[in-house]
Amino acid sequence: MNSFHLPGSSKGTCSTFLVDGQTVGSIPAAVVKELHGYPEVFTVYQDSTRGPASCVELNTKLSSYDLRSAAVHQVLEDLRSRNLFQTLREWRDERYEVMPQFSDRTLMNMERAATPLFGVKQYGVHVNGYFWRGSEPFMWIARRSLTKPTYPGLLDNLAAGGISTGMGIKETLIKECQEEACIPEAIAARAKPVGSVSYTYESVKGIYPECQFVYDLELPQDFVPRVGDGEVQQFYLWPMEKVKETIATTDFKPNCALVVLDFLVRHGFIDPDQEPYYLEFVEGLHQAL
């Protein structure tokens, strides 16, 4: 999940993405090549010492949130119509905010499916749903629908989702709990914020700097999640040892496995005396974006 930071990645050939003078992403060379065709929106600064380009700046004449969002969206619609990039075939009609850091003022928004083309940070919420039966802990695990555009059929956290434009963190949590697992708001609201998991990986679709706000939700023993909006096909209730074994397999959605790994570390289910990669796990779960 941190492949962007490893030798052999495209990190050294990416171009910095600037909006209003602030760095908000990293753009792969193949995307920069296409952005040359939109000079009214993007200015590409060449630097032969760093490959195709060293910087792509959004036109400074686009001086407001609305102007920037509209201009970029028009470019994305055109790129989509030309069927140039795989990620745009997963168009969501859902916008993500664009800013240097989560605490900063938002500069524009962008179609969710396009963010990997610009290496823009994505933020989401993931919920570990668990309970204790006597002294033994159990965790609820979801299996994603086969119709999901990403990672269909893989195992997932109880509920999770990206933070869309206009949504807050806890608001997103409650929404995803209700939609995906039919968890009433009165129960979902008990979820406790326990930190975050962050990483940056790349694939054929682009670059993914992601931060997941992590919540632990201790559920009543008699509560059983139900399939809601169709994004999940089934829920499983597993003892923690089975959860631990399964997150190391390809049956688990990789970033969701990290969220569960974080849970296991925080609750002491992984012993640093027994796990030689304990420090690598902890450090890898909290990479700066």
Side-chain angles (χ1 to χ4, degrees):
M1 294 302 295
N2 281 304
S3 60
F4 188 63
H5 301 299
L6 298 178
S9 78
S10 67
K11 188 174 184 178
T13 60
C14 286
S15 299
T16 302
F17 182 30
L18 295 177
V19 178
D20 194 29
Q22 302 179 69
T23 299
V24 298
S26 298
I27 309 179
V31 180
V32 173
K33 179 181 177 182
E34 297 301 327
L35 297 184
H36 279 281
Y38 306 94
E40 70 284 359
V41 180
F42 298 101
T43 302
V44 180
Y45 295 97
Q46 297 293 141
D47 182 351
S48 58
T49 65
R50 291 193 65 237
S54 61
C55 175
V56 176
E57 184 175 25
L58 198 66
N59 193 324
T60 54
K61 293 181 180 179
L62 301 170
S63 57
S64 71
Y65 176 98
D66 290 339
L67 287 174
R68 295 174 191 132
S69 303
V72 171
H73 193 72
Q74 188 173 3
V75 170
L76 296 176
E77 289 275 19
D78 188 58
L79 292 174
R80 181 190 183 196
S81 70
R82 294 164 60 196
N83 198 28
L84 294 174
F85 298 105
Q86 181 179 341
T87 186
L88 296 184
R89 298 169 198 156
E90 299 168 1
W91 196 271
R92 305 287 191 96
D93 283 321
E94 179 182 357
R95 304 285 186 97
Y96 277 177
E97 298 288 2
V98 177
M99 57 278 196
Q101 298 296 332
F102 191 77
S103 57
D104 294 330
R105 174 177 61 92
T106 58
L107 302 173
M108 55 177 280
N109 63 46
M110 178 181 290
E111 158 63 33
R112 173 178 177 173
T115 54
L117 299 180
F118 294 82
V120 167
K121 298 179 180 70
Q122 300 183 28
Y123 296 90
V125 180
H126 284 238
V127 182
N128 294 301
Y130 72 102
F131 69 88
W132 292 81
R133 183 178 292 160
S135 61
E136 187 174 5
F138 290 81
M139 180 175 281
W140 283 104
I141 299 295
R143 186 173 292 282
R144 296 163 68 84
S145 167
L146 293 174
T147 61
K148 289 280 288 182
T150 56
Y151 301 98
L154 294 192
L155 297 171
D156 203 331
N157 304 123
L158 174 65
I163 302 174
S164 303
T165 293
M167 296 286 289
I169 301 171
K170 193 64 174 284
E171 184 181 11
T172 299
L173 178 150
I174 291 172
K175 169 181 173 289
E176 297 297 337
C177 281
Q178 290 177 326
E179 291 180 352
E180 295 185 356
C182 297
I183 301 173
E185 181 175 351
I187 294 179
R190 302 176 194 167
K192 296 180 179 180
V194 291
S196 63
V197 167
S198 52
Y199 47 85
T200 304
Y201 70 96
E202 66 176 334
S203 73
V204 294
K205 298 177 184 178
I207 301 166
Y208 295 79
E210 296 185 351
C211 175
Q212 310 300 345
F213 292 96
V214 179
Y215 284 74
D216 287 352
L217 176 58
E218 186 168 0
L219 293 160
Q221 286 194 29
D222 59 353
F223 178 80
V224 178
R226 293 181 292 107
V227 173
D229 59 7
E231 294 195 4
V232 172
Q233 58 172 300
Q234 191 173 0
F235 291 99
Y236 307 106
L237 181 61
W238 286 348
M240 214 57 70
E241 283 303 315
K242 182 170 182 178
V243 173
K244 187 190 296 188
E245 293 171 3
T246 310
I247 62 170
T249 72
T250 55
D251 199 28
F252 227 103
K253 184 172 180 276
N255 68 328
C256 300
L258 293 190
V259 173
V260 176
L261 177 61
D262 175 67
F263 179 95
L264 295 171
V265 170
R266 287 186 290 102
H267 289 268
F269 294 113
I270 297 180
D271 187 335
D273 273 328
Q274 303 298 322
E275 175 50 65
Y277 294 103
Y278 188 90
L279 287 179
E280 285 88 340
F281 288 166
V282 174
E283 292 169 359
L285 290 167
H286 304 99
Q287 290 282 342
L289 299 186

